[in-house]
Amino acid sequence: MITLQTKKVLDEFFKLCPDAESCMRVSREEIQEVIKTLGLQGKRSAMLQRLSCEYLSESWTHVTELHSVGKYAADAYAIFCTGKWDEVVPNDHMLNKYWDFLHTL
């Protein structure tokens, strides 16, 4: 579940970087300032910019080839972005709730 602190950070981050292209254009320091309350802002800002760069390169064929994308992110991508929710079995309890809901449709 998203905490109030995390929601505030996400809101501010998406104002600064509404897409992968803008995430690559803004300075790492600007990203660090927005996400600093989450900790590890140096590592996370570098990761976000690397992920954005790889995503835009279009040289990947599966989302797990992108930097820092694990099972949770891959399952969420399949469910929410590609519509291939029926090809994954998520482990996360919140993804499972939505996945179960989709099975009722």
Side-chain angles (χ1 to χ4, degrees):
M1 181 178 249
I2 293 180
T3 66
L4 187 58
Q5 176 186 2
T6 304
K7 182 177 180 349
K8 181 180 178 195
V9 170
L10 281 174
D11 289 345
E12 290 301 311
F13 176 75
F14 284 123
K15 284 179 190 171
L16 179 65
C17 303
D19 53 40
E21 196 170 299
S22 60
C23 186
M24 289 174 35
R25 274 197 317 267
V26 303
S27 71
R28 191 164 292 164
E29 292 76 20
E30 288 178 276
I31 295 172
Q32 289 175 9
E33 184 63 28
V34 169
I35 66 172
K36 69 181 176 185
T37 59
L38 300 177
L40 301 172
Q41 60 270 22
K43 181 178 181 176
R44 286 181 169 153
S45 61
M47 178 193 68
L48 287 164
Q49 288 187 318
R50 179 176 170 186
L51 173 65
S52 296
C53 182
E54 290 178 8
Y55 177 78
L56 291 172
S57 76
E58 297 182 18
S59 64
W60 54 280
T61 56
H62 192 268
V63 72
T64 55
E65 295 172 31
L66 299 173
H67 180 68
S68 73
V69 174
K71 178 161 174 48
Y72 170 80
D75 289 346
Y77 185 80
I79 292 167
F80 299 111
C81 299
T82 67
K84 296 180 179 180
W85 61 270
D86 54 342
E87 296 180 17
V88 297
V89 179
N91 292 337
D92 179 78
H93 70 283
M94 293 306 284
L95 284 181
N96 276 329
K97 287 182 181 190
Y98 189 70
W99 189 77
D100 289 341
F101 166 74
L102 291 172
H103 276 93
T104 67
L105 301 177

